[in-house]
Amino acid sequence: MNDLLKNTQFYGWKLSWLICLANFCLQGSGIYLMNAFMEPLCDTHGWSRGDLGLAMGIGSLCGTVSMSLLSTAALYCSLSRIIVIAAVVGSLSIVSLGFAPNISLFTLAFSSLWVAGQACGGVIGKALMSNWFERCRGRAFGIANLGTSLSGAILPFVALLLLEFFSLEMTAAIMGLTIFFLLTPLCLLFVVDKPADKNTFPDGLPPDGTTDTGPAAPCTWKALVHCPSACKIGLAFGLGLMMSAGVVGQLKPRFSDLGFSDAGAMSLMVLTAAFAAAGKYFWGWTSDKLGPLRTAKLLFAANILGLAIAFLPQNVVTCLLFATCCGLFLGGFWTMYPAFVAAVFGRNNFTSAYRFTSLFIPLKSLGYVLMGFSFDFFRTYDAAYMFFMLMLLLGYVLIASIPAGGRQDFRASCL
């Protein structure tokens, strides 16, 4: 492990930071930008939060459904080509958010952004990280996913400042075109599909016999369907991501509803996103140290406690506690999900297994819808939060029921 830590010049680390940037620009925009755009969109077009929550849910659903399709494409197409095309489409989709004249076209633009986010960072970025890393897998996934939460700490505030001086249309155009000219050239120049293309090995070191790339039997759909661990992993993380997507998607409006000014509410949302970014690396590091199964159980339990803070008497202190704790905890799902899949199924089977388990991830889209309609019906998000806590408890039970290590369950299904 000391050799791994010293190998800072390994090209894979550069790619992990590039995928971090891609997630910052596109995935983060899809998740966090609505914290700045929601109220101006409602004021401009007369749309309700329920309307936008439904649009966000559909966009997220398209993004998560695309995970399986993109995973299939990753088995046959160049990852670098997919990433470059997605960088172009995603940045132009951000521009379109400001110019959509009706909720249908807005939903189309938002859906396009989500799919591009999965293709530029997201699932394709995870496939790239799985190609390049084995022994430092948790930390590599953590760095790659940092960008999504760092985006929440920066982009909404930038958008809020731009909206003070420019129209909604101009703000969207400035942000989208900036991302286009920043991200596209970097992806075009630096993305390399596999370590062999740079004459090196995963982690930058020759195999030492301590890693397991997975069973020799093919990772077929039939084997995965008959593998209880595969279904449990997909369902558990689908529920966890439903919670995290719903909470962060309307976090700034929630703080505004509690009486904070726009700047104060956005500051609390930024604080949450900053701790979520730290959480992505923290949970990856913990997974490398404690093992993915133990870390995943800890992650689900911690998120239940984090959401419970929302039911304490709400004041500055409890809101700060919610922002820090909930941010740190919910930041771990996108890191632990691919790390867990890779640990159970092996590096060679990662893309196929990730494709199968991602069939459950569209559940996360319900988070946006539940949040929007919880507010429309009850004028509060508490009902959605209570439901999320129950779903996290179910996720904990599913993860806890997976055999230690999980891999023997998969090997048995391959026989």
Side-chain angles (χ1 to χ4, degrees):
M1 185 60 71
N2 288 333
D3 291 336
L4 291 170
L5 295 176
K6 292 176 182 177
N7 195 20
T8 56
Q9 298 304 310
F10 174 50
Y11 195 80
W13 294 118
K14 298 178 178 65
L15 290 176
S16 68
W17 285 109
L18 178 56
I19 297 302
C20 175
L21 177 64
N23 285 326
F24 176 93
C25 293
L26 299 183
Q27 284 233 83
S29 292
I31 295 172
Y32 290 103
L33 203 53
M34 287 301 294
N35 283 283
F37 281 5
M38 180 168 289
E39 288 154 312
L41 283 167
C42 290
D43 294 340
T44 301
H45 299 288
W47 302 336
S48 71
R49 293 189 193 181
D51 293 332
L52 288 170
L54 184 59
M56 293 166 69
I58 292 172
S60 176
L61 179 63
C62 290
T64 50
V65 167
S66 75
M67 290 173 65
S68 183
L69 299 176
L70 290 167
S71 296
T72 301
L75 295 172
Y76 304 103
C77 303
S78 165
L79 300 183
S80 57
R81 184 173 300 175
I82 295 173
I83 288 172
V84 170
I85 293 172
V88 175
V89 173
S91 56
L92 296 181
S93 296
I94 294 173
V95 176
S96 301
L97 293 179
F99 291 88
N102 56 60
I103 194 67
S104 297
L105 289 177
F106 178 87
T107 303
L108 179 62
F110 198 76
S111 300
S112 176
L113 173 60
W114 263 96
V115 174
Q118 287 294 341
C120 191
V123 63
I124 299 299
K126 292 176 178 66
L128 190 67
M129 292 300 95
S130 181
N131 285 348
W132 280 85
F133 291 94
E134 247 180 87
R135 284 163 280 184
C136 289
R137 182 185 292 132
R139 276 161 283 187
F141 283 130
I143 291 172
N145 284 290
L146 274 175
T148 307
S149 294
L150 286 176
S151 177
I154 297 173
L155 285 187
F157 242 130
V158 171
L160 196 65
L161 290 173
L162 288 173
L163 286 167
E164 291 290 325
F165 301 97
F166 302 103
S167 66
L168 178 64
E169 293 85 353
M170 183 60 69
T171 297
I174 291 171
M175 299 189 74
L177 293 175
T178 300
I179 289 172
F180 174 84
F181 288 111
L182 171 66
L183 184 61
T184 306
L186 292 176
C187 292
L188 185 63
L189 291 173
F190 293 109
V191 175
V192 178
D193 284 18
K194 302 183 296 295
D197 296 334
K198 297 287 285 186
N199 297 313
T200 186
F201 302 95
D203 302 302
L205 296 172
D208 62 358
T210 62
T211 58
D212 186 355
T213 57
C219 187
T220 63
W221 280 86
K222 181 179 178 181
L224 290 165
V225 167
H226 289 88
C227 176
S229 291
C231 297
K232 290 176 182 178
I233 291 169
L235 180 56
F237 281 97
L239 294 172
L241 290 167
M242 176 181 68
M243 179 280 298
S244 63
V247 170
V248 301
Q250 298 196 32
L251 194 55
K252 187 266 180 183
R254 175 183 180 270
F255 287 130
S256 294
D257 295 339
L258 293 174
F260 290 92
S261 65
D262 280 348
M266 190 65 79
S267 296
L268 285 168
M269 196 223 72
V270 166
L271 182 65
T272 306
F275 273 91
K280 283 181 166 58
Y281 186 81
F282 168 78
W283 290 104
W285 177 86
T286 304
S287 178
D288 285 343
K289 296 295 184 181
L290 300 182
L293 184 62
R294 186 184 303 176
T295 304
K297 290 191 291 186
L298 182 62
L299 174 66
F300 277 87
N303 274 278
I304 294 172
L305 295 176
L307 278 186
I309 298 172
F311 295 94
L312 297 174
Q314 295 298 287
N315 51 48
V316 173
V317 174
T318 53
C319 286
L320 284 171
L321 185 63
F322 178 85
T324 54
C325 293
C326 198
L328 181 65
F329 299 155
L330 63 82
F333 283 108
W334 275 121
T335 296
M336 281 306 304
Y337 170 41
F340 203 100
V341 171
V344 171
F345 299 100
R347 179 169 57 85
N348 288 345
N349 294 318
F350 172 80
T351 302
S352 295
Y354 198 83
R355 175 179 59 173
F356 177 80
T357 58
S358 69
L359 293 175
F360 295 87
I361 304 305
L363 284 170
K364 70 184 284 289
S365 305
L366 293 175
Y368 299 106
V369 179
L370 288 168
M371 289 289 286
F373 285 104
S374 175
F375 183 85
D376 282 357
F377 284 114
F378 303 107
R379 312 311 296 175
T380 177
Y381 295 115
D382 287 353
Y385 281 21
M386 291 178 67
F387 180 77
F388 292 152
M389 292 173 70
L390 291 174
M391 294 302 99
L392 288 170
L393 180 60
L394 175 58
Y396 178 91
V397 172
L398 290 169
I399 292 296
S401 67
I402 294 174
R407 185 164 291 179
Q408 63 268 36
D409 190 15
F410 175 51
R411 290 188 187 280
S413 69
C414 290
L415 297 178

